[in-house]
Amino acid sequence: MAITGINNSSCTSYYASNYKNTVKKTDSEKDSTNTKDGNVTTSTVELKTSRPGVTKTEQIKTGYSNVNDYSKYLQGKYHYMNTGTTSMQGVPTTVSVSSAFLQKCMNDPEKAKYLEENLAAIPDCAKSAVNGCLGTLTNLSYMIDENGNISVAISGTNDPDGKIAKENAERKAKENREKEEKVKEKRAAKKSRGRKSCKETCRKIGRKKGNG
């Protein structure tokens, strides 16, 4: 089950929750061709896409002996996987796949198919996220955990030019200045009262001495 798209009203993505919940392959989805190169098997399969009901014919590979080789193969097709921050639709984006899940996929055609369906769908989902948000997206992060569960973290702003942030900062600075002025006034008043009290005390002492 591939990523299904974006809820544009809230910029919330809907994702396949677990590879165990994927639908059994129909006859049209079954591998039509299998070839082997050493231990690596290349299978021609029908992958679901981010568009409901639409599939595409694709070759996927399984049978790798280690995760590094499998990762290199996937990164050759999906350059954004586990390579740090990239850009999708002009938004800084990261796509992370758990090494533990890669281990599960590299020799399991069903899990590998699920993974590639979702990796291939991410750019379309990023596009939907950008087009669907009223504000401006500042970061996208797609994560596939050790069980194949997919989650996304989206951050953005309704103040792309920084106007609101600037106004808020100016208002905060003004409030701080007003607080500081009040503190200074209180200190000055307290100091003035102290001087008056001292003078009054001195006068009283002087009067007592004069009377003596």
Side-chain angles (χ1 to χ4, degrees):
M1 184 181 293
I3 299 173
T4 56
I6 301 293
N7 178 343
N8 290 339
S9 63
S10 62
C11 292
T12 302
S13 300
Y14 291 94
Y15 297 91
S17 60
N18 194 297
Y19 64 82
K20 293 180 180 178
N21 297 326
T22 56
V23 180
K24 294 292 184 180
K25 290 192 293 185
T26 63
D27 290 339
S28 64
E29 292 176 301
K30 289 181 180 178
D31 298 344
S32 58
T33 305
N34 290 318
T35 59
K36 296 200 74 171
D37 180 9
N39 292 325
V40 176
T41 300
T42 301
S43 303
T44 303
V45 297
E46 288 296 314
L47 298 183
K48 297 182 182 70
T49 69
S50 57
R51 298 171 61 189
V54 178
T55 62
K56 67 176 181 177
T57 302
E58 187 72 38
Q59 289 187 331
I60 66 172
K61 294 183 178 183
T62 53
Y64 287 89
S65 58
N66 61 77
V67 171
N68 286 338
D69 288 345
Y70 184 52
S71 293
K72 288 178 182 178
Y73 151 69
L74 289 174
Q75 287 168 348
K77 297 176 69 174
Y78 316 103
H79 64 89
Y80 38 82
M81 187 201 84
N82 290 354
T83 53
T85 302
T86 184
S87 177
M88 291 188 184
Q89 302 297 313
V91 179
T93 304
T94 56
V95 179
S96 304
V97 182
S98 163
S99 179
F101 190 60
L102 290 174
Q103 185 84 37
K104 294 176 182 178
C105 293
M106 68 183 191
N107 290 308
D108 188 320
E110 276 299 294
K111 295 181 180 67
K113 178 182 173 183
Y114 164 86
L115 175 59
E116 292 207 33
E117 282 175 339
N118 284 285
L119 287 174
I122 285 175
D124 283 342
C125 289
K127 183 178 180 179
S128 295
V130 171
N131 293 337
C133 282
L134 297 177
T136 300
L137 292 184
T138 56
N139 184 268
L140 287 168
S141 179
Y142 298 90
M143 295 153 284
I144 302 179
D145 69 16
E146 66 274 11
N147 295 314
N149 298 312
I150 305 173
S151 60
V152 64
I154 298 177
S155 60
T157 178
N158 286 323
D159 184 30
D161 298 323
K163 182 179 178 181
I164 296 174
K166 183 179 179 180
E167 290 175 352
N168 289 339
E170 290 176 349
R171 185 179 68 253
K172 188 69 175 178
K174 182 180 178 181
E175 290 174 354
N176 289 337
R177 286 195 299 271
E178 289 175 349
K179 288 179 181 179
E180 289 176 0
E181 288 298 323
K182 288 181 180 180
V183 170
K184 288 180 181 179
E185 289 174 1
K186 288 181 179 179
R187 287 176 179 171
K190 185 177 181 180
K191 190 174 182 180
S192 177
R193 288 195 299 271
R195 284 198 297 266
K196 288 179 180 179
S197 177
C198 181
K199 288 180 180 179
E200 184 64 27
T201 301
C202 289
R203 282 197 296 269
K204 288 180 179 179
I205 293 173
R207 285 197 295 271
K208 287 181 179 179
K209 287 182 176 181
N211 294 331

